[in-house]
């Protein structure tokens, strides 16, 4: 029988790799919680109408990339992004009635039927956050600064922040008309895709990578020339707060993103170009002040961002957060049974004290067991052999310090717990004392 393989673009994450995922996810959760965000979890499957309405029919995501199907006459879609789902949950549960401002974050898989590439897959994972209820520019600046801090904490180097403003509906309408007027005389030079977009979503032409399209928009007007007074004031204030925070940024007036819901502040963060190459955008986000009302809720402003975990892991120097286990228990006696029973009992006692441990339940030599303990990055190996059984003791071997001592059985658990706690405290102290990497 031909072996069954994973679907193309949908990848396994094996235990040998998961430690780095845990490290990045834990740092993300820590950063979010320090800024007052709480976790939200939404379904993987939503009504197709949600994404068509929130993201926009003229976007690549809706037109080409969604995994949609019909179940019992209901059109459903595997979520391609997190913002629309979070906004739907916010409206459905009437969160605005109880909270003037809501700060949510999420971590989870998303699905897009695009061509797989390095760091870009059909099932991919995102971290992201949404802030509902604050229209002010201070929240925009703080969110951008928060993301830069997170990237530095996970060792993403050479991050660069790019910001723009798309203004409100009036600004976008004026700019859309000016852009179309600029591009109409150049229609015969546009790529087929941009020619199609000219009628339905002309701002997306600014994001085209086709050389002919890049040339066509090189001398096009920018949206910053069309901001009304309120939009301009909001953008200026956002920049002033970023300056006050000391967060470097560049204004990129041609910055657009592939989703239609954005208003006013828009941002991208690029990083680790030497690793990621042309696909060096690691974070994207912006303000979407009309989505909540568009989904049937009240008029509530919002801003959010998302980052692909796979791409962050490529760019990050983060190391695994913890060893596979704290303690490896190595039973070894002539018959095997008494030492094994003692090892199982000791392991249960340690786990009750929240010490992660593994027992070698296969018959093997002591040399082989210690090799296994090192492979698992265990801090301690506890040896129970004939001598230990006869003397009611356990030998504790410090695998990092290359020392060992034998202690009474009734003292093993508190001694091990103390050593594990001390080891973790030293690790935390070293980590906090290290200079942050990757800030711009």
């Amino acid at each position: 029988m031909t072996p069954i393989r994973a679907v193309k673009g949908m990848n396994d994450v094996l235990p040998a790799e998961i430690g780095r995922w845990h490290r990045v996810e834990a740092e993300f959760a820590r950063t979010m919680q320090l800024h007052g965000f709480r976790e939200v979890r939404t379904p993987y499957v939503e009504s197709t109408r949600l994404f068509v309405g929130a993201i926009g029919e003229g976007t690549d995501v809706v037109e080409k990339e969604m995994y949609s199907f019909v179940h019992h006459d209901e059109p459903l879609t595997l979520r391609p992004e997190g913002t629309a789902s979070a906004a739907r949950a916010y409206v459905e549960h009437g969160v605005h009635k109880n909270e003037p401002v809501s700060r949510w974050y999420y971590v989870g898989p998303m699905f897009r039927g695009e061509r797989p590439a390095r760091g870009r897959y059909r099932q991919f994972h995102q971290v992201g956050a949404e802030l509902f209820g604050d229209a002010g520019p201070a929240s925009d600046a703080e969110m951008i600064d928060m993301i830069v801090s997170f990237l530095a904490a996970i060792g993403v180097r050479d991050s660069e922040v790019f910001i723009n403003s798309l203004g409100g509906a009036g600004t976008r309408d004026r700019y859309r008309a000016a852009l179309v007027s600029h591009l109409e005389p150049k229609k015969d030079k546009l790529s087929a895709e941009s020619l199609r977009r000219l009628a339905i979503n002309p701002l997306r032409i600014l994001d085209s990578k086709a050389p002919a399209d890049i040339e066509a928009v090189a001398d096009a007007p920018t949206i910053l020339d069309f901001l009304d007074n309120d939009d301009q004031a909001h953008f200026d204030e956002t920049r002033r707060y970023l300056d006050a925070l000391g967060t470097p940024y560049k204004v990129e007036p041609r910055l657009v993103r592939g989703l239609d819901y954005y208003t006013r502040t828009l941002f991208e963060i690029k990083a680790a170009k030497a690793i990621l190459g042309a696909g060096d955008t690691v974070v994207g986000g912006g303000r979407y002040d009309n989505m909540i009302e568009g989904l049937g809720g009240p008029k509530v402003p919002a801003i959010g961002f998302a980052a692909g975990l796979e791409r962050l892991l490529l760019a990050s120097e983060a190391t695994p957060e913890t060893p596979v286990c704290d303690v490896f228990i190595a039973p070894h006696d002539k018959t095997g049974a008494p030492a094994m029973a003692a090892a199982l009992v000791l392991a249960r006692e340690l786990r009750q004290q929240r010490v992660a441990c593994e027992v070698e339940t296969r018959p093997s030599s002591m040399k082989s067991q210690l090799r296994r303990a090192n492979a698992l990055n265990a801090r301690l190996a506890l040896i129970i052999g004939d001598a230990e059984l006869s003397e009611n003791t356990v030998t504790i071997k410090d695998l990092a310090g290359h020392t060992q001592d034998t202690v009474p059985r009734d003292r093993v658990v508190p001694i091990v717990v103390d050593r594990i706690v001390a080891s973790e405290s030293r690790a935390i102290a070293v980590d906090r004392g290290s200079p942050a990497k990757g800030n711009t």
Side-chain angles (χ1 to χ4, degrees), residues 5-6 29 88 117 147 151 165 204 261 302 308 332 357 368 372:
R5 302 177 63 87
R88 189 267 312 149
I147 302 165
L151 294 176
S165 176
R204 295 290 292 120
Y261 51 64
H332 185 68
C357 56
S368 174
R372 170 75 174 154

Side-chain angles (χ1 to χ4, degrees), residues 4 120 163 189 214 317:
I4 299 173
R120 186 186 295 274
I163 65 171
K189 297 180 180 179
I214 294 173
E317 297 178 350

Side-chain angles (χ1 to χ4, degrees), residues 100-384:
V101 176
S102 299
R103 296 170 179 244
W104 292 357
Y105 75 91
Y106 60 85
V107 179
M110 309 292 165
F111 305 85
R112 292 188 189 180
E114 56 185 335
R115 179 179 297 176
R118 187 167 180 256
R120 186 186 295 274
Y121 306 108
R122 289 173 174 168
Q123 176 178 312
F124 60 102
H125 299 76
Q126 276 190 346
V127 298
E130 317 296 340
L131 193 160
F132 303 107
D134 187 346
S139 62
D140 303 19
E142 185 180 46
M143 178 170 282
I144 293 169
D145 180 71
M146 173 181 70
I147 302 165
V148 171
S149 298
F150 162 64
L151 294 176
I154 62 171
V156 173
R157 292 183 176 275
D158 305 321
S159 62
E160 290 185 286
V161 176
F162 297 87
I163 65 171
N164 192 20
S165 176
L166 296 181
T171 291
R172 288 185 70 151
D173 288 345
R174 290 191 301 275
Y175 180 59
R176 176 187 173 116
L179 185 60
V180 169
S181 295
H182 174 82
L183 292 173
E184 280 284 351
K186 305 182 180 186
K187 285 169 55 173
D188 57 332
K189 297 180 180 179
L190 295 176
S191 67
E193 181 65 16
S194 288
L195 189 60
R196 186 181 66 85
R197 284 174 171 165
L198 187 61
I200 58 174
N201 197 354
L203 269 66
R204 295 290 292 120
I205 299 174
L206 299 173
D207 201 32
S208 173
K209 303 300 186 289
D213 298 337
I214 294 173
E215 183 179 348
V217 301
D219 57 346
T222 73
I223 197 166
L224 296 181
D225 298 326
F226 293 82
L227 297 180
D228 64 25
N229 291 337
D230 288 343
D231 292 337
Q232 186 67 59
H234 186 279
F235 190 50
D236 291 344
E237 281 293 292
T238 299
R239 296 180 61 187
R240 273 194 284 271
Y241 290 132
L242 286 171
D243 291 339
L245 288 164
T247 305
Y249 64 89
K250 297 177 182 177
V251 175
E252 176 45 77
R254 300 203 188 282
L255 175 63
V256 294
R257 293 193 57 77
L259 310 177
D260 281 354
Y261 51 64
Y262 287 116
T263 58
R264 286 195 167 173
T265 304
L266 188 70
F267 60 88
E268 283 186 349
I269 301 179
K270 298 178 182 292
K273 188 170 184 63
I275 299 171
L276 299 175
D280 60 344
T281 298
V282 293
V283 181
R287 185 163 282 286
Y288 51 99
D289 291 338
N290 301 320
M291 185 186 292
I292 299 301
E293 187 175 25
L295 292 176
K299 188 166 183 57
V300 173
I303 184 172
F305 73 91
L309 258 175
E310 286 86 351
R311 199 172 297 184
L312 286 178
L313 286 162
L314 285 173
S316 169
E317 297 178 350
T319 54
E321 186 181 31
T322 58
V324 175
C325 65
D326 296 313
V327 172
F328 185 87
I329 304 180
H332 185 68
D333 66 338
K334 291 178 181 178
T335 65
M340 183 63 68
L344 293 173
V345 171
L346 177 56
R348 183 178 63 186
E349 293 176 12
L350 287 168
R351 289 168 185 146
Q352 288 171 344
Q353 298 301 315
R354 298 295 186 263
V355 174
C357 56
E358 181 173 323
V359 179
E360 179 54 270
T361 53
R362 304 168 302 165
S364 56
S365 68
M366 182 54 61
K367 183 177 180 180
S368 174
Q369 293 194 55
L370 292 178
R371 193 160 52 237
R372 170 75 174 154
N374 280 311
L376 293 172
N377 292 321
R379 292 183 173 96
L380 304 174
L382 307 185
I383 300 170
I384 304 176

Side-chain angles (χ1 to χ4, degrees), residues 41-80:
R41 299 186 183 187
T42 60
Y44 293 179
V45 179
E46 298 269 12
S47 168
T48 300
R49 289 191 305 116
L50 170 65
F51 301 114
V52 173
I55 297 175
E57 288 189 82
T59 62
D60 287 350
V61 172
V62 170
E63 286 189 335
K64 305 175 183 178
E65 299 172 0
M66 295 202 310
Y67 283 103
S68 298
F69 57 97
V70 176
H71 182 68
H72 296 309
D73 297 326
E74 183 179 7
L76 302 174
T77 295
L78 293 173
R79 62 184 187 187

